[in-house]
Structure formats: structure tokens, C-alpha cells
């Protein structure tokens, strides 16, 4: 059995605007790197086959599942997690405000992945139809909301209905 | 056979608090949301303790096997491995878990890991504790277990045959419980009815709500204090404590439980006390905190499944005008390999004996059985779901076979609005409701007339349209005394929840409750009712997030489950807030030199109603009582603490074990759903074109939160109806134990859900609310109803809760095959 | 969920990638990882070295020639395929299939080469590449060799790519007015396929419309995609009518013994393959010039 020391790689990855130079074992998943090595707990793990999307983050502008990527593969990449949203520790950004207004979350476990999904969707398609929203959300499972209010929240965010936090 | 009493004794009507209204009833945005939206929630895997080790469980690959030997030597020799725990050790360290079943099933020896024998695929056999999760996983591969596979039984009915392999030798059979529930006189009804409709077999399948966060815990048995701390996402911590304590020989006062945010529960996180027990023993052995995060396949294979129930030989007496007199059935509930919350399910369905209807004569011969499958847990809708689906199938099938309109037949047989409070055949009291109005609203929401036209127009197009209806109940706030119906020796009855509402030293309004929410918004609704009673904005009310045994208050049944928070949790908060209000008024009156009747509370101030300038902020009240008490007259000072606890206790008495009658739940929320589906004739694939859910749950404290629960329960129901099912092969191997193969519904599967609501306040609760959240599984009935409506003449009835495209394809073809249809009508 | 210890290298060129593959027994190509990482999570295969080719420009391109043929680098992602207007103009089905694959997170990283080389009976691309008579270019120590798609997919998880080799590109011949139909019966939206059929049809000029040539490939019915030869034979030279298509498609899965699993029985798969074949053929006829 190979020991950890023999397969460690130096990577440079920028997370939420902060550059990190770290050595990671080849086998470490990006989601574990984010959660355990960097201590960013907002990215969650909900399954073991890349189906649930709770681990979704933005990597070089694309929404990806961080449990389906090795940390070493993020070398040279720019990663954004849920912690990058909102104006500082007390703020919510307009998408987050829309979710709060429209009860787009219940237990909150899928929420970070869903909010990042919404962010990347609206960046590409500022006025998506309901069908397009549902299509975009396909890779993020929610067990609490039945998706209805998630869709409503994203529609509201698209319409600019989320209010700015004072 | 039992007869209902001539006189109905309902619950006492409860005077509704006049103070609710400024905030209760409004869709106040949630306090929980900011931290959850920002990824700042504290879920159990986010927690960490110094010196912790990580746990990996070695699990049985066999559904039934003797454990011949376990060798952990190679595993333990790995650097970084702290300790292991085997079943053999557990057999010595743990007393078998308390069993709720009467003997002989109550003789079952159930431990936190497999002792001597594994009884389901995935059962934990050895626990490995190591420096990191990777190391624990790697080292676990070095544990050597020798198994002797045994014969497997997966059929929940065949398992009671004498030749079936025995799961628990000490019981002598695979029967967990058996009893006959007999109300009215169904034999008389069958003899005298104009028609008897017989249904051979109906099957409610095995699935789970699969919360997105799996089970997990950080457990530390502190050698210094002897206290075991459980930081876990168990959703019924005090129930867990009652099972863990005697098992590991620890007083409940030496167990601490806490959780802050839980990523969904739905009943599946109730039976995790077995894992908590293993983790406690491992922590004690290793002298370290132990951290465990369940992987998804472990959750699907080895946490809990919903009950699987088969109904045989259903007989339904019907009069020629369509009055359904009741029914008779043999029910078999497959509980899996162990009884972790069972056999309570054997009585809990009887909260809703006649469903939404006025049936008077019901006999259910109920057998609960054991098989080599994952043990069941109280999955969303627990036990009532199964029974209510049976009833809706009965109503639909009777309508079809005897030529009644499904809508009219329901309206004829529903409990009518003027009959509430309504006593059911076994003495339960339905508090309030208006099912006909809900049905009308549901049909309006799907444009029933339009749908019928589309259905006619679709003839010959290759697509068949079906319209479905499903009515159901969500019985809430249960009387644990019903456990005595299945075992008269159980020392449980009643229910309760506790809350403390207090002013902190500087007058901060603080609320703690005994519940362990998993997304239901307790912090928000508790703040709403407190704000109403104390006359302030909910922003001024701090509700302590999550569950904490040491810091919060609790009673025996504290937790979040079974559709009751709006009644028990908020009832407790209201009671505590009223007490605090009384004290604040007393102190304020004294300080203002006024009579209590002159005082009002507003915006965090105590003031004279006649002169708002004469006002003291709550900080003034608190500062006086806590730091300046000599200023108060002695008698007054002795009578106030500003720390007010209240236990809300529903007015339950103990049900009758002999007659199996009693008041089993306090409230009855209801739902009526309607759907329009389109079936592809060549493939059997079902598409939902329109879906409507109408709910009634008394006075809503926060309408948006309630609606969210309705959406979520509907999503779960649609998932189970069309996409989600656990399938075992004949060797007891679970064929779909990951989300790749167990298809949890996505945003593309769940359609837009139109919602409607009516409000029938409960006369029996302090706020007119009814517990809700489980939803009653209406989609299961609604979709079965819609599929059946789309099938051609002569097709077999819809007989299963799960209808994937292959099953629908078989149903479509059954019409041409002109074979048995699963139903028979005998008419006089 | 936790991978076993493994080694990783990210070669800077195709040559380096081949050298890495040749240099270690138990080396595997890692492209998007949307399948391989799951395999590693469940420790279903032991991999000594992951050779990450996902960023190699040499393997990530879409070239459309003036004759209507297209050459696609194996490491091109579903998202890139979906978004390529030039590709859509000459081979629209490739991008359509990409757009319906799983979800957008997977599409951002998963690749056509990864899909083809995984060769699961339910994989999206194998039956399509077979029906289009694509050419699979395999790079190895001795150079690049070309294998027709029909000889590339050998069975369950087996392709013509040998040890030390990797799939470098896929060439699609021009459609030249042929129509392509792609139909799947899925467990749920954009989810596992239970039965799949791809049809390629060229119609002859003139009225009434007749079929000059047809190819029908079935997926999910066996380890590798299967040509429905009996169906093809019946269609060739015959009417391009619904009746003729129905009759021919009903033969599509004759003699096949598709597996039964948790999602569907073998007999349902067999019947549905024929239904999908019929629908794919009608789509293809509709799209043919």
C-alpha cells in the first residue's frame, strides 16, 4: 500500500481570490481540499458518485462538482466557493437575498451548490425561462423544497427582485 | 369486535391566545437563512475536536452470515491506526438495546454492530479508528473477516413460513408482531352489503427520503468527567438517549447531545442511536473523540428504509348508493433485520383507520415481519402513508368497478365538514377539516374539465391522458400511549415538548426549545409567536439555533419528528412566553407604580397603556431583577426569575390495549392532490402535465414555511411514485445503493406544483395550528389514480406504489392480454 | 468516497502522455474524470498512475473541413461540443447529445473521448459514433492508427485502445444530406438510458421518398452497441414510410438477450430498443435531404 509521502504534488490554486501554494496527495479530491485543507465548510458532500451537486463550486468560471475533480487538477485554477459571495461577513448578495425572500432553502445543505449554480446560470443567461432554470439545476439535488421555491428564487433574482442588504 | 362508545369524549377545546396575530400568520423571512446561504451552517461534518480520530466501518457483504472470525491484527499494525472495535467486544460491552416489541420478538438481542451474525448487507461488523479518514479507510481493508454465508430471506410474507431461515434464534420465528384490529362489524357489513369488491394484492414499496446530509457524529467519552458528548445529527435525541443509556450503562445525565444545523431528517435520522452507541464505545476504548461521516452508499444500505407493506385479500362492502361500509385486509409489514423504532408502526397507522372517510367497519389483520434487509425507520409519513394509500386505492377501484364517479364517490364517503370533531371507529378524534372543498379546489387547480377534454382528444394519438386524485391525512402530535396497544408493558404515554423563554441579563429575549430542526424554520416561527406574546419584533427574539441538551430544555420525547412542532414546540414556546410576560408585567407594574391591568408591552418596552412616555425597556426589567433586586419588594422578588420554562402537554390519556382504542393523535392536517399525467403508449413512460396540492393544517404560523413543506413532501411522493425504489435480489444484495442507481428526483422530474389551501383551525391546540410536514404521501395515491385512469379497459388495477415505465408498460399490455385484473366484484 | 493512494502526472504533450502510459503498468488516462473518479472512489479498479490529458491542446479541438467532415479531439468537453456552431452545422447530433448529458457540471468537464472509452452499454456516444461510421484515431508508441467505430467498441468496458495507447481524436465523415435520429428511453430526465437507438438514413432523390441506405445501431442491449442488420436490410431500397419503418424496426432487437438489472428487465429492454429504433428512424428520415 503506497504511503501518503510518495505521491504529493505542489499546486498553486486561487480560492476566493486568495492564492494558495500547497502540497496535496494525488488522491485528495478537490472537495476535501476545500473543506479540510482550507477549512472552508460551506461546500458540502451529499453522495459518493457525483450525482447530488452539493459539492458544486466554480472553477475557472465553470460550475463543476468538486468531488469529481482531484485537487491536483485544480493547479493553476481559480476556484470560487460559496464563501466568495456577499459583501463581507454580514452581507448577502442579490441572489442570496432572493433565496431568502422566496424561501428557496429549508435545511440549507444543498444551498451553497444551488446558489453557485444560480450565479453561473444568470451570468450566462440573465433572463432564463423556467425550463432553462430547471435544466440548469438538474445536477443539484434538493430533498426539502421540491424545487418550486428554488426556481422562484432564481426567477426573482433574474428579475432583480432581491433587495440590497443595508 | 369492538363497539364505539355511545358518548364521544373529545379533547377539551382550547381557548385561542388573543395575542397571536401581529407576527403569527405572516410569512416572515427566516432567521436561519443568512448563515445557510453563506455556507456558515454548522453541520456535523463541519465539527472538529482536538485529538479526534476518524472512523470507518467494515461492513458485511452478505445479507445473512455467521461471523466465523475477525482478525484486526494487520489493521491495527498500520501506523496511525488508533483502535478497532469488533462485534465480539460489543457483545460484552453493550447490553442489547431495549426492545419495544412484546415477547417473543422482544427477546431479540440487538447490538450496535453485528455480534456473531450479520443479518443484512451493510451491517457494521468492525469499526476502525485512525488518524485520518483516508487512513481509516485504507486500514479497514486489512481487517480480515471470515463469514459463513447463511440462507437469505427477502420476501416479507414468505419469511413467516416455518422453512424460512431464522434471523434471530432467540425469537423462534421471523414475526416481529401480530395483532388484529377490529372495529365495528365487518363480517356483518360484508354479508349485508349490496356489493363486495375484492382486491387480491396491493403493495407499498420500499424507499427513503434520503436526506442530502448523511448520518454523522463526533462523539467523545470524556475520561475525566465520565460524560459522553454526542455531536450528531440524530433528530430525536432524547429517544436516542433512552436507548443508548441502558445499552452502555450510562445515566442520561452523563450524556450530552447537541446539533446545530441538520441537512434534512425526514425520520431517517431517528434510528441512528445504534451508530452513536458504537461510536461511544470506540471513543471510550481509544480514549479519543471519534468522528464519523456516513458515505451515501452506507446511508442507502444501512441507515434506515421506509416501511414496505403488502396488503392481501382486501374485501370492501359497498352499498348500491356508493356508501363504502369499511374494509377488511391482511397487512404484512416488512421491517428488515432489526426493530429500531418498530414495532410502533404496527399501531401508528391506526391514527387514521378510515382515512378521510366515514367507514365504520374495519378489520386489519396486521403482521410485522423480519427479513434480511436494512432495518426500517419512521420515514416521512410513517406507517400512515401505507394505510392511506390502501384506502385511496380502495376508493378508486370501487369507483371504477361499480361505475361511480371518483369525485362523487369521495364526496359521498368523506367525513363531512359539519361532522367535525369526528370520532373514528377506534376512538381517534379528527379535529377539523373540509375535504370536499379541498377536492374542488384541487380539481380547479388542474382545470379538471379541460383535462377531461384533453383526455378525450388524446384518443388514438399514442399518448394516454389520465387524471388522478389523492386524499390523505397528516396526523400530528401523537400520543405515545399507543405504544401500549402493541405492548401493554411499555412505560410510555402522552407527549410533550418543552421551551424556555427568558430575559438575559441585559433584557435580551432568548428562547430555547427541545426540538432538533432539520430545515423546518423553528428559529423563525418560535420567534414569531414569542414576538406576538411579548409585543415586539421577531428580530428582538433570539432563538438558540439547534438542539443542545445541556443548554436547552427538553422532555422525554424532545426532538423534531411526526408533524408536531407547530403544536407541541410552539405550544411550549407560547406557554413559556406567557409566563415571562406575566413576570415582566408584574415587575414593570411595580416599577411604574401602576396596576398590572394598566400595563402593556410594545416594541421591547413595558409601558402604561394610557401614557406611552412612562416606559421601561426590557433591559431595565432585567437589570433590576438580576443586578438590582433590592429595589423590589421581597414578595415580588421571590416570585420572579425571568427564566420561564413551560412544558406543553397535549391532553392525552392512555389508550386501551384490549380494545385497541384511544385518542392517538391530537391534530389531523389533510391534503388533497390532483394530477394530469400523460402516458406514452408504446413505452409506458409517464409525464406529469399538471400537479396541484391543496393542504389544510389549521392556522398557519408562517404560510411560506408551510407551503415549502407541502412542496417538499410532494417532491418526495412523486419521487417514490415514479423514480425511487430500493430493490434487493434474492441474495439480499441491495441493487441500488448509490445515487447513481437510486434516482433521487431532480428539478427536471418534479413538475411545477400549484398549491391551494384552506384553513380549518384546530379547536384543540393553543394556536389553532396543526402539525404538518410529513404530507401523508398524497402523490403516491394521486399518481396511481392518474395512471389507472389512463389505462385501457380491461387492464389490471394499479397495484403498487411504484410505477416506473416498465411497470406501466405491463399494465398497458394487461388490457389486451385479458388476464386477471387483480379485482373481483360480487354483487347480491 | 476516499480514493486509494495513487500517483499523478500531467504531461505537457501527447508524446509525454504516451511515455507515461507506457512507463507504468496500471496507468490510466484521466480526462474529465466524470467517470474515472467515481471508479476510484469506489475502489473498483486499482490505478497506479493517473495520466491527466485534460489540458492537452493537441487533444482538445474541433476542426470542421469544407467537405463537411469533422475531426474532434478526444479531450473535447461536452460543453465545447454543445457550443460549437461549426460542428452544429455539419453534425448537429453530436452537440445535441452533449447538451443532454447528465447535467451542466458534468458537461463542463466530461469529454467525448472519456465517454467513448468508458464503453458502458448506457454510454451516450458509442452507438452514435458507430452509426455515423466515425473513425477513431488511436495514438500509441508506434504512431497513430485509425479504427472504424464499428470495430472500436468491443464489449462491456472494452475498446480497441490497447495498453500504452490512448484515443486522440474522432473523425466524422460528412453527412451529405443523410438524416440522423437519436432516441433514448431513460429512467428519468437526462438520466440512465434503458434502451437507445441511433439511425442514420440517406434518402434517394424523387417521389415517393425511398431509403437509399440506413444504419441502425442499438445501445443498452448488449456489452457493445449492436447493428440492427435485419432492420437495415428491410429498409434499404424501400419506402421511407411510417409503415415500412414500423415493420423494419420490429425486427431490430430480434435475437438479442439484453441484460436485466435494477432499472429494467431484459425483455423490456428488447422491446423498447425496437420502439426507439422506429422513432430514431422516423426522426432520421425527417432530417434527411
Amino acid at each position: 500500500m503506497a504511503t501518503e509521502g510518495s505521491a504529493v504534488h505542489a499546486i498553486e490554486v486561487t480560492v476566493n481570490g486568495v492564492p494558495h501554494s500547497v502540497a496535496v496527495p494525488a488522491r485528495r479530491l478537490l472537495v476535501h481540499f476545500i473543506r479540510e485543507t482550507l477549512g472552508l465548510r460551506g461546500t458540502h458532500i451529499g453522495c459518493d458518485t457525483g450525482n447530488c451537486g452539493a459539492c458544486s463550486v466554480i472553477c475557472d468560471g465553470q460550475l463543476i462538482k468538486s468531488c469529481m475533480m482531484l485537487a491536483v487538477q485544480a493547479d493553476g485554477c481559480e476556484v470560487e466557493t460559496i464563501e466568495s459571495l456577499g459583501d463581507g461577513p454580514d452581507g448577502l448578495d442579490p441572489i442570496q437575498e432572493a433565496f431568502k425572500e422566496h424561501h428557496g432553502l429549508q435545511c440549507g445543505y444543498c444551498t451553497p451548490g444551488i446558489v453557485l449554480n444560480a450565479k453561473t446560470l444568470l451570468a450566462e443567461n440573465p433572463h432564463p425561462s423556467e425550463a432553462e432554470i430547471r435544466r440548469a439545476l438538474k445536477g443539484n439535488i434538493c430533498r426539502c423544497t421540491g424545487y418550486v421555491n428554488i426556481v422562484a428564487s432564481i426567477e426573482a433574482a433574474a428579475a432583480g427582485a432581491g433587495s440590497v442588504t443595508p | 369486535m369492538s363497539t364505539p362508545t355511545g358518548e364521544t369524549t373529545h379533547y377539551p377545546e382550547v381557548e385561542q391566545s388573543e395575542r397571536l396575530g401581529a407576527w403569527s400568520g405572516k410569512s416572515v423571512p427566516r432567521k436561519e437563512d443568512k448563515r445557510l446561504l453563506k455556507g456558515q451552517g454548522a453541520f456535523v461534518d463541519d465539527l472538529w475536536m482536538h485529538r479526534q480520530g476518524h472512523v470507518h466501518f467494515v461492513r458485511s457483504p452478505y445479507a445473512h452470515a455467521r461471523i466465523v472470525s475477525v482478525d484486526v491484527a494487520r489493521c491495527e499494525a498500520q501506523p496511525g491506526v488508533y483502535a478497532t472495535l469488533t462485534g465480539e467486544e460489543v457483545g460484552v460491552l453493550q447490553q442489547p438495546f431495549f426492545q419495544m416489541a412484546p415477547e417473543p420478538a422482544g427477546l431479540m438481542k440487538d447490538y450496535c454492530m453485528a455480534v456473531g451474525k450479520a443479518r443484512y448487507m451493510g451491517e457494521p461488523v468492525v469499526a476502525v479508528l485512525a488518524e485520518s479518514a483516508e487512513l481509516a479507510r485504507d486500514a479497514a481493508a486489512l481487517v480480515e473477516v471470515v463469514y459463513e454465508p447463511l440462507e437469505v430471506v427477502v420476501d416479507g410474507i414468505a419469511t413467516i413460513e416455518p422453512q424460512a431461515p431464522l434471523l434471530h434464534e432467540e425469537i423462534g420465528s421471523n414475526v416481529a408482531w401480530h395483532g388484529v384490529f377490529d372495529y365495528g362489524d365487518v363480517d356483518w357489513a360484508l354479508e349485508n352489503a349490496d356489493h363486495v369488491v375484492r382486491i387480491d394484492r396491493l403493495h407499498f414499496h420500499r424507499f427513503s427520503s434520503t436526506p442530502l446530509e448523511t448520518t454523522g457524529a463526533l462523539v467523545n467519552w470524556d475520561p475525566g468527567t465520565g460524560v459522553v458528548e454526542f455531536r450528531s445529527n440524530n433528530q430525536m435525541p432524547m429517544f436516542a438517549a433512552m436507548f443508548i443509556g441502558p445499552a452502555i450503562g450510562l445515566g442520561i445525565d452523563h450524556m450530552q447531545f447537541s446539533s446545530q444545523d441538520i441537512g434534512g431528517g425526514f425520520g431517517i435520522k431517528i434510528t441512528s442511536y445504534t451508530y452513536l452507541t458504537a461510536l461511544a464505545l470506540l471513543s471510550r476504548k481509544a480514549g479519543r473523540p471519534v468522528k464519523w461521516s456516513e458515505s451515501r452508499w452506507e446511508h442507502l444500505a444501512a441507515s434506515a428504509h421506509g416501511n414496505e407493506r403488502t396488503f392481501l385479500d382486501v374485501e370492501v362492502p359497498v352499498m348500491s348508493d356508493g356508501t363504502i361500509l369499511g374494509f377488511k385486509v391482511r397487512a404484512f409489514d416488512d421491517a428488515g433485520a432489526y426493530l429500531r423504532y418498530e414495532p410502533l408502526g404496527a399501531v401508528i397507522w391506526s391514527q387514521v383507520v378510515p382515512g378521510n372517510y366515514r367507514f365504520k367497519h374495519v378489520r386489519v389483520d396486521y403482521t410485522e415481519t423480519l427479513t434480511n434487509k436494512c432495518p426500517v425507520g419512521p420515514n416521512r409519513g410513517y406507517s400512515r402513508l401505507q394505510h392511506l394509500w390502501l384506502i385511496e386505492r380502495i376508493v378508486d377501484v370501487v369507483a371504477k368497478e361499480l361505475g361511480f364517479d371518483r369525485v362523487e364517490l369521495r364526496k359521498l364517503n368523506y367525513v363531512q365538514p359539519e361532522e367535525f370533531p369526528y370520532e373514528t371507529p377506534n376512538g381517534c378524534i379528527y379535529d377539523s377539516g373540509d375535504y370536499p372543498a379541498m377536492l374542488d379546489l384541487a380539481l380547479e387547480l388542474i382545470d379538471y374539465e379541460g383535462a377531461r377534454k384533453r383526455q378525450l382528444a388524446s384518443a388514438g394519438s399514442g399518448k394516454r391522458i389520465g387524471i388522478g386524485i389523492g386524499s390523505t391525512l397528516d396526523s400530528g402530535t401523537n400520543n405515545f400511549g399507543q405504544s401500549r396497544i402493541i405492548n401493554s408493558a411499555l412505560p410510555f404515554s402522552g407527549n410533550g415538548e418543552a421551551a424556555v423563554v427568558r430575559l438575559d441579563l441585559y433584557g435580551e429575549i432568548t428562547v430555547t426549545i427541545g426540538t432538533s430542526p432539520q430545515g423546518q424554520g423553528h428559529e423563525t416561527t418560535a420567534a414569531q409567536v414569542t414576538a406576538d406574546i411579548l409585543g415586539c419584533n421577531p428580530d428582538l427574539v433570539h432563538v438558540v439555533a439547534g438542539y443542545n441538551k445541556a443548554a436547552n430544555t427538553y422532555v422525554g420525547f424532545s426532538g423534531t419528528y411526526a408533524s408536531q412542532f407547530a403544536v407541541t414546540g410552539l405550544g411550549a414556546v407560547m406557554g413559556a412566553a406567557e409566563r415571562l410576560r406575566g413576570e415582566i408585567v408584574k415587575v414593570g407594574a411595580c416599577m411604574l407604580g401602576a396596576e398590572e391591568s394598566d400595563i402593556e408591552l410594545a416594541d421591547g418596552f413595558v409601558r402604561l397603556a394610557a401614557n406611552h412616555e412612562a416606559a421601561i425597556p426590557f433591559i431595565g426589567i432585567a437589570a433590576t431583577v438580576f443586578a438590582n433586586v433590592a429595589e423590589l419588594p421581597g414578595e415580588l422578588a421571590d416570585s420572579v426569575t425571568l427564566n420561564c420554562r413551560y412544558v406543553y402537554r397535549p391532553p392525552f390519556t392512555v389508550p386501551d390495549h384490549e380494545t385497541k382504542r384511544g385518542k392517538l393523535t391530537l391534530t389531523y392536517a389533510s391534503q388533497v392532490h390532483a394530477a394530469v399525467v400523460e402516458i406514452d403508449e408504446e413505452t409506458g413512460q409517464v409525464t406529469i402535465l399538471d400537479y396541484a396540492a391543496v393542504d389544510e393544517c389549521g392556522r398557519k404560523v408562517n404560510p411560506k414555511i408551510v407551503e415549502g413543506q407541502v412542496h417538499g413532501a410532494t417532491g418526495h411522493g412523486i419521487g417514490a411514485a415514479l423514480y425511487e425504489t430500493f430493490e434487493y435480489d434474492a441474495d439480499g444484495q441491495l441493487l441500488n445503493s448509490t445515487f447513481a442507481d437510486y434516482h433521487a428526483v431532480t428539478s427536471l422530474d418534479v413538475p411545477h406544483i400549484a398549491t391551494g389551501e384552506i384553513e380549518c383551525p384546530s379547536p384543540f391546540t393553543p394556536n389553532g395550528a396543526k402539525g404538518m410536514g410529513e404530507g401523508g404521501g398524497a402523490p403516491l395515491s394521486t399518481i396511481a389514480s392518474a395512471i389507472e385512469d389512463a389505462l385501457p379497459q380491461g387492464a389490471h388495477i394499479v397495484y403498487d406504489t411504484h410505477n416506473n415505465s416498465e411497470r406501466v408498460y405491463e399494465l398497458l399490455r394487461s388490457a389486451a392480454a385479458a388476464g386477471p385484473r387483480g379485482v373481483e366484484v360480487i354483487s347480491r | 468516497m476516499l480514493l486509494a493512494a495513487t500517483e499523478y502526472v500531467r504531461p505537457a504533450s501527447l508524446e509525454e502522455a504516451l511515455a507515461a502510459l507506457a512507463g507504468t503498468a496500471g496507468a490510466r488516462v484521466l480526462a474529465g474524470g466524470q467517470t474515472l473518479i467515481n471508479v476510484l472512489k469506489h475502489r473498483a479498479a486499482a490505478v497506479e498512475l493517473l495520466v491527466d490529458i485534460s489540458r492537452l491542446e493537441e487533444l482538445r479541438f474541433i476542426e470542421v473541413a469544407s467537405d463537411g467532415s469533422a475531426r474532434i479531439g478526444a479531450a473535447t468537453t461536452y460543453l465545447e461540443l454543445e457550443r460549437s456552431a461549426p460542428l452544429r452545422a455539419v453534425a448537429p447530433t453530436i452537440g445535441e447529445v452533449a447538451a443532454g448529458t447528465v447535467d451542466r457540471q458534468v458537461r463542463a468537464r466530461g469529454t467525448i473521448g472519456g465517454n467513448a472509452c468508458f464503453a458502458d452499454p448506457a454510454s451516450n456516444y458509442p452507438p452514435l459514433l458507430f452509426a455515423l461510421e466515425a473513425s477513431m484515431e488511436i495514438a500509441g508508441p508506434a504512431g497513430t492508427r485509425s479504427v472504424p467505430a464499428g470495430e472500436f467498441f468491443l464489449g462491456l468496458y472494452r475498446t480497441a485502445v490497447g495498453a500504452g495507447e490512448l484515443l486522440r481524436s474522432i473523425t466524422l465523415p460528412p453527412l451529405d444530406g443523410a438524416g440522423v435520429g437519436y432516441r433514448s428511453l431513460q429512467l428519468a430526465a437526462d438520466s440512465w438510458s434503458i434502451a437507445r437507438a441511433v439511425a442514420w438514413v440517406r434518402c434517394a432523390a424523387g417521389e415517393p421518398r425511398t431509403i437509399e441506405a440506413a444504419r441502425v445501431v442499438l445501445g443498452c442491449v448488449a456489452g457493445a452497441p449492436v447493428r440492427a442488420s435485419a432492420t437495415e436490410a428491410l429498409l434499404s431500397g424501400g419506402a421511407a414510410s411510417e409503415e415500412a419503418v414500423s415493420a423494419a424496426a420490429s425486427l431490430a432487437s430480434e435475437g438479442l438477450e439484453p441484460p436485466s438489472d435494477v432499472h429494467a428487465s431484459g425483455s423490456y429492454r428488447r422491446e423498447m430498443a425496437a420502439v426507439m429504433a422506429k422513432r430514431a428512424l422516423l426522426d432520421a428520415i425527417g432530417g434527411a435531404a
Side-chain angles (χ1 to χ4, degrees), chain A residues 141-145, chain B residues 208-212 266 380 712 716 724 744-745:
Chain A
I141 293 175
C142 173
R143 299 262 62 187
C144 294
T145 67
Chain B
S208 164
S209 302
T210 73
L212 196 63
F266 315 114
R380 192 173 203 167
H716 269 133
E724 300 181 36
V745 281

Side-chain angles (χ1 to χ4, degrees), chain B residues 269-393:
Chain B
K269 287 176 172 157
I270 288 178
T271 53
S272 60
Y273 63 84
T274 58
Y275 286 105
L276 297 182
T277 303
L279 297 173
L281 293 175
L282 185 56
S283 174
R284 183 172 63 178
K285 181 179 179 190
R288 290 178 176 274
V290 308
K291 179 166 173 169
W292 178 57
S293 267
E294 188 185 48
S295 70
R296 178 54 62 186
W297 85 260
E298 291 179 299
H299 183 84
L300 295 180
S303 61
H305 290 176
N307 295 62
E308 180 184 349
R309 197 169 299 170
T310 307
F311 300 102
L312 298 180
D313 305 328
V314 187
E315 291 184 50
V316 190
V318 189
M319 301 308 285
S320 51
D321 70 345
T323 304
I324 300 175
L325 302 179
F327 60 91
K328 171 178 153 181
V329 67
R330 291 193 297 138
F332 291 86
D333 194 274
D334 178 350
Y338 295 95
L339 305 176
R340 299 271 158 84
Y341 199 84
E342 295 301 313
L344 290 187
V347 67
I348 280 177
W349 66 269
S350 70
Q351 296 170 6
V352 292
V353 165
N356 300 72
Y357 303 96
R358 284 183 293 182
F359 306 156
K360 299 276 189 281
H361 310 281
V362 176
R363 180 186 300 142
V364 177
D365 182 321
Y366 193 105
T367 308
E368 180 142 358
T369 67
L370 299 160
T371 58
N372 294 115
K373 297 187 214 157
C374 180
V376 302
N379 187 44
R380 192 173 203 167
Y382 184 41
S383 195
R384 290 100 83 224
L385 214 61
Q386 289 80 353
H387 187 74
L388 291 162
W389 179 78
L390 163 71
I391 289 175
E392 283 300 277
R393 285 281 70 224

Side-chain angles (χ1 to χ4, degrees), chain A residues 37-121:
Chain A
T37 311
L38 299 185
L40 296 168
R41 304 297 191 170
T43 305
H44 297 144
I45 295 172
C47 77
D48 49 19
T49 46
N51 289 100
C52 80
C55 67
S56 299
V57 299
I58 302 172
C59 182
D60 286 352
Q62 294 292 342
L63 188 75
I64 59 118
K65 293 172 180 174
S66 62
C67 79
M68 294 299 279
M69 195 166 156
L70 301 175
V72 288
Q73 292 185 289
D75 181 31
C77 293
E78 286 194 24
V79 175
E80 295 162 74
T81 68
I82 187 68
E83 287 86 353
S84 69
L85 265 64
D87 307 308
D90 289 313
L92 292 179
D93 96 342
I95 294 176
Q96 292 165 312
E97 281 293 348
F99 271 78
K100 182 170 172 183
E101 238 172 89
H102 295 272
H103 193 38
L105 62 150
Q106 291 181 28
C107 82
Y109 201 73
C110 74
T111 304
I114 295 248
V115 167
L116 292 178
N117 190 323
K119 178 178 173 181
T120 52
L121 171 66

